[in-house]
Amino acid sequence: MAIEVPFWRAIAVYRVASLVYAAVLMAQQRGYGQPVAGWLVIGVMALWTAGATYAYSVPVLRRWPLLVMDLLVTLACLLSSPYVQGSLPGAAGTTPLPATWVAGMMPVPATWVAGPVLAWAVYGGRRAGAVAAAVVAAADLWFVRTPDESVVINGAVLLFLAGVVVGHVARLAKQAEQRMQRAIEMEAAQRERDRLARDIHDSVLQVLALVQRRGRQIGGEAAELGRLAGEQEAALRELIATRPAAPEGTTDLRSLLLRYGSPEVTVSTPATPLILPAETARGAAAAVKAALDNVRAHCGPQARAWVLAESGEGTVTVSIRDDGPGIPDGRLDQARADGRLGVAESIRGRVAEVGGQVSIVSVPGQGTEVEITLPS
């Protein structure tokens, strides 16, 4: 991610500054008890600073193997401190150091040891930063012993805080970049939707509206063609309408129901979205379509139907009412017994699959109402 680049650059600057500080300490202490070994450690730190700075600048190399190697090199330099400073008992050829030097003395890498902690934090977040800090602090506490243990403990606390804070900030920055990228993509998609809406409105929608009007005027089979054109016009208008996108994995049920609007079908929905899981919304819309198909098949193409959607306490209810002759008593049971499963499977089955319920009320001569209740 591009947002990580400033973090890696800051870590590179920190490594160089810490390397210079460790070299200054080495010069002030005249190489400690083992000057050759001390400057050799500084040389290793310089080489690794250059190599790590380059490796972390290449995204394909910025992986866990590099992070582990970074931590191991830092631990090796840290654990060399007792020998370099001449504080190992029995070290041959060591130059005794004054007691004031040993007491509270910083390890040879000094603040350079925080480099891998910051790298782990930027790459893996606050947990990874805390783990790296714990490893470095444990090595410092276990192997680099001084008469003043409070110095080491304070350093461990600072390492831990740095790992957690930097990791948290890096993770927040990544999340902010992801949200910004999604916003840019949504803005681009909206601009494209607006362009398509203008083009479609100037061409396809006008043609469909003309077919609908002419079909009504001609009548007969042309009237059915006009009715279908009207349905497609309404569906297409709804498809290109501007509205906020539903959260990922969900769908606004209104957008699916409004596609069924036509001169014969009136669809009424709330002004606010009816957000449902995508599978639930699609199942409900398919059941509503099946109910409208039944109205058209059994009541005639000119029959009127009304679709009403509303939200309740933890539920969404969709009712489909028509002005047809109604369903005679026992007709549904007889149809199921005869193997005609339109209502049983197309409506009840689809709704049951998404955890909903269906009730059908029909009065001969007064039409039929199908009520679908869905969990929201």
Side-chain angles (χ1 to χ4, degrees):
M1 291 185 177
I3 195 67
E4 290 185 356
V5 174
F7 284 98
W8 297 116
R9 290 176 179 171
I11 293 175
V13 172
Y14 175 83
R15 287 179 188 270
V16 173
S18 298
L19 175 65
V20 172
Y21 178 56
V24 170
L25 290 180
M26 180 69 67
Q28 286 181 344
Q29 304 299 337
R30 301 175 183 176
Y32 295 106
Q34 296 285 348
V36 175
W39 287 110
L40 179 61
V41 172
I42 296 296
V44 171
M45 291 166 55
L47 290 175
W48 183 251
T49 296
T53 298
Y54 170 76
Y56 281 119
S57 67
V58 180
V60 71
L61 299 178
R62 203 183 298 150
R63 298 290 184 268
W64 283 113
L66 175 61
L67 292 162
V68 173
M69 181 62 67
D70 191 7
L71 189 60
L72 292 177
V73 171
T74 300
L75 290 177
C77 294
L78 174 64
L79 300 180
S80 68
S81 298
Y83 176 77
V84 172
Q85 293 172 345
S87 56
L88 283 177
T94 59
T95 302
L97 298 178
T100 55
W101 284 14
V102 177
M105 184 182 297
M106 293 188 69
V108 172
T111 56
W112 191 80
V113 297
V117 176
L118 300 178
W120 277 53
V122 171
Y123 183 83
R126 57 181 179 271
R127 290 187 179 88
V131 169
V135 172
V136 175
D140 201 10
L141 288 168
W142 184 260
F143 291 101
V144 185
R145 299 178 182 275
T146 70
D148 187 2
E149 298 289 348
S150 63
V151 174
V152 182
I153 294 176
N154 290 337
V157 173
L158 290 175
L159 276 177
F160 184 81
L161 291 177
V164 173
V165 172
V166 172
H168 183 66
V169 172
R171 182 57 55 87
L172 290 179
K174 293 177 185 178
Q175 292 174 352
E177 184 183 33
Q178 291 172 351
R179 293 192 184 100
M180 182 178 298
Q181 183 63 31
R182 285 197 298 268
I184 293 173
E185 293 173 356
M186 290 175 62
E187 183 181 359
Q190 186 60 49
R191 287 198 299 266
E192 181 65 13
R193 176 188 285 269
D194 293 340
R195 185 188 67 81
L196 291 174
R198 290 191 297 269
D199 294 343
I200 291 173
H201 181 271
D202 294 339
S203 57
V204 180
L205 291 179
Q206 292 186 7
V207 172
L208 291 175
L210 177 61
V211 171
Q212 181 185 12
R213 290 195 302 271
R214 294 294 294 162
R216 284 185 174 182
Q217 293 172 1
I218 297 173
E221 294 183 357
E224 176 64 14
L225 180 61
R227 183 188 66 79
L228 294 176
E231 291 181 357
Q232 294 305 311
E233 179 193 6
L236 192 55
R237 286 186 184 277
E238 177 59 27
L239 183 63
I240 65 176
T242 302
R243 60 170 51 86
E248 184 176 357
T250 64
T251 299
D252 183 2
L253 181 60
R254 300 180 311 162
S255 62
L256 301 180
L257 296 181
L258 289 173
R259 299 176 184 178
Y260 302 138
S262 70
E264 291 77 25
V265 178
T266 301
V267 180
S268 301
T269 64
T272 55
L274 295 174
I275 302 299
L276 293 173
E279 183 179 357
T280 301
R282 287 193 295 266
V288 171
K289 183 179 184 302
L292 294 174
D293 289 342
N294 284 339
V295 172
R296 206 167 289 120
H298 299 289
C299 305
Q302 302 302 320
R304 295 278 296 164
W306 295 265
V307 178
L308 173 64
E310 54 187 348
S311 60
E313 189 67 29
T315 61
V316 171
T317 302
V318 182
S319 61
I320 307 96
R321 183 171 58 84
D322 63 63
D323 60 355
I327 303 175
D329 293 338
R331 179 70 176 272
L332 294 178
D333 294 337
Q334 182 62 39
R336 181 162 189 161
D338 294 340
R340 299 192 300 273
L341 304 178
V343 173
E345 297 299 332
S346 299
I347 300 178
R348 294 187 188 276
R350 284 192 173 104
V351 174
E353 285 179 356
V354 296
Q357 297 178 342
V358 176
S359 65
I360 300 176
V361 177
S362 182
V363 178
Q366 299 183 20
T368 302
E369 181 176 3
V370 178
E371 184 176 272
I372 300 173
T373 304
L374 304 165
S376 62

